Amino acid sequence: MKSPHAHSVRCPPRGRVSGSGRPGAADALLTVDALVKRFGAFHALDRLSFTLQPGEILGLVGPNGSGKTTCINVVSGLYAPDGGRVLLDGTPVAGLAPHRLAHLGINRTFQVPKPFRSLSVRDNVALAITYGRRDGRGADVDTLLESLDLAAVAQRPAIELNNAQQKMLDLARALATQPRVLLVDELAAGLNPGELERIGARLEAIARSGVGLVVVEHLMGFIDQITDRVIVMNAGRHIFEGTLAAAVHDPQVIEVYLGAGDVGTGDA
């Protein structure tokens, strides 16, 4: 894998339509349709729409407060929507509790990991398998820990882990339920270049297994490296869809990011 700050273009995932280069809704794994979330008079999501295909990595980017994490929170069941639809394989799932969504195949990571701090790393993952697996199926604990460089700390309490290890444990707990849709909320924040390269490679491997990923991230180099396409958000709305390379030339995206740094590199 190249450096997370290098430019690359991923091959379109299986299920992507040709021609316009935009995925079709008919075979979408996840559909977000005119999603609305209000907090009082504030519209955190204002009729946001997009689709996600199996095996695709979709980036959600935008300035702080644009609604990226709120979208993840609604899709994962942490918040109930005030309008619109969330469909998994065409079946409405909006408003279901997080544990029900996990059993259906939607799971997530958090900006701030939320493990059971007094339990060991291994027990945290085993608990996720026991209570979060779908259709009676769960991942193998030891294989999962090994794949995320957690085998050496498997017996340590989660509270003793460093920042990168906490994030890997959060990812392990989500993957333990064998999701079909994985929502990743700022997993790369605070990681060094070597850690970024490893987690980027891991996310790409997850996508190759057929899981659809929605990745919220401020590190534009990392997003450019791993995503098939991005949705740029502003004020709860979808303002651009396409590659990050194309987004940096879009007048509306440039206007939104004016004064917030270069949208193409570094932190946004």
Side-chain angles (χ1 to χ4, degrees):
M1 177 179 172
K2 297 179 183 178
S3 164
H5 298 286
H7 173 71
S8 69
V9 178
R10 286 167 50 91
C11 294
R14 187 173 300 174
R16 175 89 56 99
V17 298
S18 60
S20 67
R22 303 178 74 177
D27 57 351
L29 173 61
L30 178 74
T31 301
V32 171
D33 180 29
L35 201 60
V36 175
K37 181 60 187 176
R38 294 186 295 268
F39 297 99
F42 175 66
H43 280 66
L45 297 176
D46 191 2
R47 298 185 61 81
L48 178 68
S49 298
F50 62 84
T51 60
L52 176 72
Q53 306 298 310
E56 179 180 22
I57 303 180
L58 172 68
L60 287 186
V61 302
N64 287 333
S66 59
K68 305 181 299 294
T69 293
T70 299
C71 175
I72 295 270
N73 287 340
V74 172
V75 173
S76 66
L78 192 61
Y79 298 156
D82 295 306
R85 301 185 302 163
V86 178
L87 308 175
L88 180 65
D89 274 338
T91 300
V93 296
L96 295 182
H99 72 277
R100 292 189 62 192
L101 290 170
H103 293 159
L104 291 172
I106 298 177
N107 213 335
R108 61 154 320 152
T109 69
F110 290 85
Q111 288 185 23
V112 179
K114 302 176 184 293
F116 293 100
R117 293 158 62 85
S118 63
L119 294 184
S120 71
V121 169
R122 196 179 198 286
D123 285 347
N124 263 277
V125 177
L127 197 63
I129 291 174
T130 300
Y131 292 102
R133 62 189 177 186
R134 59 185 178 90
D135 301 329
R137 295 173 294 176
D140 178 75
V141 177
D142 295 321
T143 300
L144 190 51
L145 294 178
E146 184 69 33
S147 72
L148 294 174
D149 299 323
L150 291 172
V153 295
Q155 300 306 322
R156 289 174 59 181
I159 194 172
E160 296 182 3
L161 301 185
N162 63 32
N163 177 60
Q165 291 168 335
Q166 290 266 0
K167 287 176 177 286
M168 293 305 97
L169 176 55
D170 199 37
L171 179 59
R173 282 161 29 102
L175 291 175
T177 65
Q178 296 193 320
R180 300 173 60 214
V181 173
L182 179 63
L183 311 170
V184 181
D185 195 3
E186 297 197 26
L187 187 65
L191 301 184
N192 65 40
E195 292 164 344
L196 284 174
E197 184 170 348
R198 287 193 295 274
I199 192 56
R202 182 56 182 150
L203 295 179
E204 289 177 325
I206 293 166
R208 286 195 297 272
S209 75
V211 177
L213 286 81
V214 178
V215 178
V216 169
E217 190 53 67
H218 283 280
L219 295 174
M220 292 297 101
F222 183 75
I223 281 287
D224 190 32
Q225 176 66 24
I226 68 169
T227 57
D228 297 295
R229 62 188 170 102
V230 299
I231 303 291
V232 182
M233 295 179 61
N234 186 47
R237 299 175 181 173
H238 167 304
I239 65 168
F240 175 87
E241 177 180 349
T243 65
L244 188 62
V248 300
H249 300 293
D250 182 83
Q252 192 171 7
V253 173
I254 293 170
E255 181 180 359
V256 164
Y257 274 91
L258 187 64
D262 184 354
V263 67
T265 60
D267 295 351

